[in-house]
Amino acid sequence: MSRHKDFTIATGCPVFFCDPHSPWQRGSNENLNGLIRDYYPKGTNFNNVSDDAIEAMVEQLNNRPRKIHGFHTPREKLNELISSVALGS
């Protein structure tokens, strides 16, 4: 994110950085961490987890509807956002 100012200028979308040691400012990030913990408990040695297993978890999480997205999946929302920017150019 070293070029966050360039990103903000190009997209009109400001970038917000949370304060250190302030998890309440990172709600969706903390929620995702909890979802990942459903698959891999704290202390998991990821050297023992295959790339295929991680990719399967990513696929499941990206295709899981979320309340914050109006019960659309993260993949659907990302595609919607990318399409709106690409078409707006």
Side-chain angles (χ1 to χ4, degrees), residues 12 24-26 30 35 37 44 48 50-52 55 57-58 75 80 82:
W24 58 89
Q25 294 177 354
R26 303 184 308 269
E30 293 298 317
L35 294 175
R37 293 277 174 239
T44 296
N48 299 326
S50 72
D51 289 346
D52 288 340
E55 184 62 32
M57 176 205 58
V58 169
R75 176 164 283 137
E80 178 185 313
I82 289 171

Side-chain angles (χ1 to χ4, degrees), residues 22 28 39 50-51 61 63 68 74 88:
S22 303
S28 62
Y39 293 87
S50 72
D51 289 346
L61 291 179
N63 289 304
I68 195 168

